[in-house]
Amino acid sequence: MKKKLLILLVVSVLVSMAVIGCAPRVEPVEEPTPVEPVEEEPAPEPAEPIEIAMVVKNLGNPFFEAAKKGGEEAAAEVGATFIFDAPATPTAEGQIEIIDALIARGVDVIAVSANDPEALVPVGKKAMEAGIKMVTWDSAIAPEGRQIFVNQADMEQIGRIQVQMLAEMIDYEGEIAILSAAAGMTNQEIWIEWMKEELKDPKYEKMELVAIVYGDDLREKSYTEAQGLFKSYPDLKGIISPTTVGIAATAKALEDAGLSGKIALTGLGLPSEMAEYIRRGTCQEMALWNPIDLGYLSTYVSYLMATGEITGAVGETFTAGKMGEYTVVDDGMGGTMVILGPPFRFNAENIDEWADVY
Ligand code: RAM
């Protein structure tokens, strides 16, 4: 019996071994080879947009509001960020404070219409040392404090044309006065020098410049200064106001005093602000350029300076978007500039076309 049991055991062991041996072989699962992480090119950081800061003489001046419009348009076209700022009143100190803050912020380029050419030089230098491009436009910072000037029109022509317009209105005879912006503002000071040059021509010998007063590009002050002129110079025949704020305030003062037509008025005015006075004959003729275009060109130049496409050197040429081709020229002050174009004369014949534009 013991023997039978043993045989049984051996057989069952052999059977089980055979069964195991015939069982389908299970392939060992291959360990997956670890996938080497693919070295991917890091996605390029989206380029920070160029930051352009436009700093103007003071807030609340419609001339600069128009320039801002052009600046915003150009910045949008090139994909830049546009900052617009100014002090409440037109002082160099106020502008220095703003420019200092822009340097700290690290903008790429600052475009300034200066309240004083010299006072802004140190802060302009500071900006350039920090790698910020310095552009000046409308009213220039002295050349040491900036890299390029966007000039609205030939300075000499702007000065001379205003004397020529007034002389025609008063038949080349009588006392005249100038009601300017703030003393020391680059653009008005240079234009006034050219007015004086023009007046040296013998054809103006019967015209006498009796006063230059300053309304600081503030409406109230300009109005009061105009009244002061009427009082101090009862024989006054004409006033030149080479500022959009000054000419509009003087026109109002003339009408309020019942002097429209008695004292002639010319200068540089915004068609939108002066249309009514031109239609009524208080101002027969005035000149200006397009401030929207000036803001556009200044912003475009600022962008090209910031990207390094231009450096501000004489002879460089570039395309400023919709405004076309420009060339950098000598500014005659020791720096370089780009000129927008000639000034335009506005009178009763053409004012309606422009009154709604700027
Ligand atoms: C005023 C400002 C500006 C000047 C114009 C003509 O708005 O003084 O700088 O260009 O007038």
Side-chain angles (χ1 to χ4, degrees):
M1 180 67 198
K2 261 193 184 162
K3 197 177 167 193
K4 264 191 177 170
L5 261 178
L6 188 70
I7 289 169
L8 206 69
L9 195 72
V10 169
V11 167
S12 67
V13 167
L14 283 174
V15 166
S16 349
M17 279 175 69
V19 168
I20 290 169
C22 293
R25 268 189 75 206
V26 178
E27 290 290 323
V29 180
E30 273 199 21
E31 276 286 304
T33 38
V35 181
E36 283 289 313
V38 181
E39 279 277 311
E40 265 188 40
E41 282 283 309
E45 290 271 314
E48 285 277 313
I50 296 281
E51 225 172 10
I52 301 170
M54 176 176 271
V55 179
V56 304
K57 289 178 171 178
N58 66 308
L59 293 175
N61 179 343
F63 175 88
F64 292 119
E65 287 301 317
K68 177 184 175 192
K69 215 164 129 189
E72 283 171 342
E73 188 188 333
E77 270 176 39
V78 296
T81 308
F82 185 75
I83 300 166
F84 180 87
D85 208 353
T89 53
T91 64
E93 296 72 40
Q95 289 189 313
I96 292 169
E97 221 172 274
I98 289 170
I99 296 169
D100 261 326
L102 291 168
I103 296 172
R105 176 178 171 145
V107 298
D108 296 287
V109 53
I110 307 175
V112 188
S113 167
N115 285 324
D116 186 299
E118 298 300 333
L120 293 182
V121 167
V123 80
K125 282 186 173 165
K126 184 175 162 190
M128 291 188 284
E129 275 155 24
I132 296 169
K133 297 289 187 277
M134 277 303 287
V135 174
T136 195
W137 62 284
D138 179 53
S139 182
I141 301 177
E144 315 86 72
R146 43 86 171 181
Q147 288 148 310
I148 193 167
F149 169 34
V150 182
N151 192 354
Q152 47 275 65
D154 179 71
M155 300 274 196
E156 176 175 347
Q157 204 184 356
I158 300 174
R160 290 189 189 275
I161 205 176
Q162 295 176 75
V163 172
Q164 290 159 5
M165 288 187 295
L166 187 63
E168 285 167 22
M169 293 175 198
I170 63 170
D171 278 335
Y172 294 80
E173 202 171 333
E175 291 182 358
I176 64 164
I178 295 170
L179 192 152
S180 189
M185 282 179 179
T186 329
N187 51 350
Q188 274 89 12
E189 295 293 53
I190 297 177
W191 298 333
I192 290 171
E193 284 313 306
W194 282 114
M195 289 179 204
K196 290 180 185 164
E197 262 319 294
E198 178 70 9
L199 282 168
K200 285 182 188 162
D201 189 307
K203 67 181 176 201
Y204 304 111
E205 65 191 5
K206 292 193 186 140
M207 281 166 63
E208 189 193 355
L209 177 61
V210 292
I212 301 177
V213 295
Y214 297 91
D216 293 354
D217 267 353
L218 301 172
R219 279 182 204 289
E220 299 275 294
K221 182 152 195 284
S222 303
Y223 186 91
T224 313
E225 289 295 338
Q227 287 179 318
L229 286 175
F230 310 155
K231 221 173 141 199
S232 308
Y233 303 95
D235 294 329
L236 198 65
K237 284 280 153 45
I239 297 176
I240 297 176
S241 188
T243 137
T244 58
V245 178
I247 194 172
T250 306
K252 180 162 193 337
L254 281 170
E255 292 193 352
D256 291 352
L259 291 169
S260 171
K262 297 198 177 94
I263 298 177
L265 172 66
T266 190
L268 305 173
L270 278 173
S272 55
E273 289 192 298
M274 292 297 291
E276 283 305 310
Y277 299 117
I278 289 180
R279 289 182 190 123
R280 288 195 288 267
T282 303
C283 170
Q284 286 175 26
E285 196 171 37
M286 63 173 199
L288 200 71
W289 40 90
N290 185 328
I292 305 172
D293 287 351
L294 183 61
Y296 181 98
L297 180 61
S298 303
T299 303
Y300 221 101
V301 166
S302 298
Y303 176 75
L304 296 176
M305 289 291 290
T307 58
E309 282 165 75
I310 60 168
T311 63
V314 170
E316 282 177 326
T317 56
F318 61 91
T319 305
K322 65 169 190 188
M323 299 196 54
E325 289 279 319
Y326 284 87
T327 303
V328 181
V329 296
D330 195 316
D331 71 1
M333 299 186 271
T336 66
M337 69 175 175
V338 169
I339 298 193
L340 177 73
F344 191 80
R345 285 163 80 144
F346 299 94
N347 50 40
E349 272 156 40
N350 61 19
I351 195 66
D352 292 343
E353 292 165 40
W354 296 98
D356 297 331
V357 185
Y358 58 84

